[in-house]
Amino acid sequence: MKYLRRLIWFFSSRMMILCSVLVLMTLAFYFSMNATNIYIIIKDGMAKRAQVIMMGEDADLTPYFSRNCMDRDAQLTQALAGQSPYQMYYNITGFDHRISLDSFWCWPWDDTAQATVTERIPAIDGKIKSSARDNDQVQELEWQTVRYSVLLTRENGQWHVKNLTALQVIEE
């Protein structure tokens, strides 16, 4: 009886350890999968947003942003109305867009995620329009580096930016 009890305890303890390792591996897999998907949504979405604001392109932002988030974004609303200073005073042909993911958290079983990102555009290729050369409001062509708090939600298996809040303008 003593040996049977030891044998059962030996196998059950090894099974508990094995199950614990498998659970941790599964959680790590889903966390990594969510982190990758969220990083791609933020990176591509913010680049498309900057492209719409600066170049006035008619890009579909709904794969990245929720409708409410787009409606609350003052720069985006201004750009869609054709009132962006980038569109009014400059002919922009390209830019170098950089996103750094400062922090991120999402439980593997949760449908919401919180991230803090810093958006930078260190180089903008463009020229001032001839009609705006004499305008005193025209300044040097630059984009403010901003740290954002991003709230994302998963709807129908896809992540969308639900809220984009500027935390800090970073002077460089």
Side-chain angles (χ1 to χ4, degrees), residues 24 29 47 49 80 108 142 165:
L24 287 175
F29 170 76
R49 175 183 171 270
L80 292 175
E142 66 179 24
T165 306

Side-chain angles (χ1 to χ4, degrees), residues 141-153:
L141 187 58
E142 66 179 24
W143 183 272
Q144 287 184 329
T145 300
V146 180
R147 180 170 288 123
Y148 290 101
S149 172
V150 183
L151 177 67
L152 298 105
T153 58

Side-chain angles (χ1 to χ4, degrees), residues 49-57 73-92 95 124 129 132 135 137-138 141-143:
R49 175 183 171 270
Q51 190 173 11
V52 168
I53 291 170
M54 296 172 88
M55 302 169 86
E57 298 207 0
D73 190 343
Q75 280 185 313
L76 191 58
T77 304
Q78 190 179 33
L80 292 175
Q83 300 298 316
S84 172
Y86 297 101
Q87 297 171 29
M88 291 171 42
Y89 304 126
Y90 301 99
N91 287 323
I92 297 175
F95 55 89
I124 301 173
K129 291 182 178 179
N135 193 338
Q137 295 178 350
V138 178
L141 187 58
E142 66 179 24
W143 183 272

Side-chain angles (χ1 to χ4, degrees), residues 11 15 28 37 39 46-47 52 58 61 67 74 82 87 94 105-106 111 116 118 123-125 128 140 150:
F11 284 118
M15 289 299 290
N37 288 336
Y39 179 74
M46 294 297 278
V52 168
D58 189 24
L61 296 175
R67 176 57 55 194
Q87 297 171 29
W105 189 255
C106 174
D111 287 335
T116 304
T118 302
I124 301 173
D125 298 329
I128 192 167
E140 185 180 329
V150 183

Side-chain angles (χ1 to χ4, degrees), residues 145-171:
T145 300
V146 180
R147 180 170 288 123
Y148 290 101
S149 172
V150 183
L151 177 67
L152 298 105
T153 58
R154 184 173 31 209
E155 298 163 359
N156 299 325
Q158 293 188 350
W159 289 98
H160 291 89
V161 176
K162 185 174 183 177
N163 193 16
L164 185 66
T165 306
L167 297 175
Q168 175 186 12
V169 176
I170 301 170
E171 299 297 328

Side-chain angles (χ1 to χ4, degrees), residues 85-141:
Y86 297 101
Q87 297 171 29
M88 291 171 42
Y89 304 126
Y90 301 99
N91 287 323
I92 297 175
T93 56
F95 55 89
D96 180 19
H97 187 263
R98 309 249 174 127
I99 287 284
S100 64
L101 188 63
D102 299 333
S103 67
F104 159 77
W105 189 255
C106 174
W107 290 106
W109 54 83
D110 203 1
D111 287 335
T112 61
Q114 183 73 32
T116 304
V117 298
T118 302
E119 179 187 39
R120 292 180 47 238
I121 299 182
I124 301 173
D125 298 329
K127 296 180 181 176
I128 192 167
K129 291 182 178 179
S130 59
S131 60
R133 288 185 198 265
D134 297 330
N135 193 338
D136 293 337
Q137 295 178 350
V138 178
Q139 299 173 354
E140 185 180 329
L141 187 58

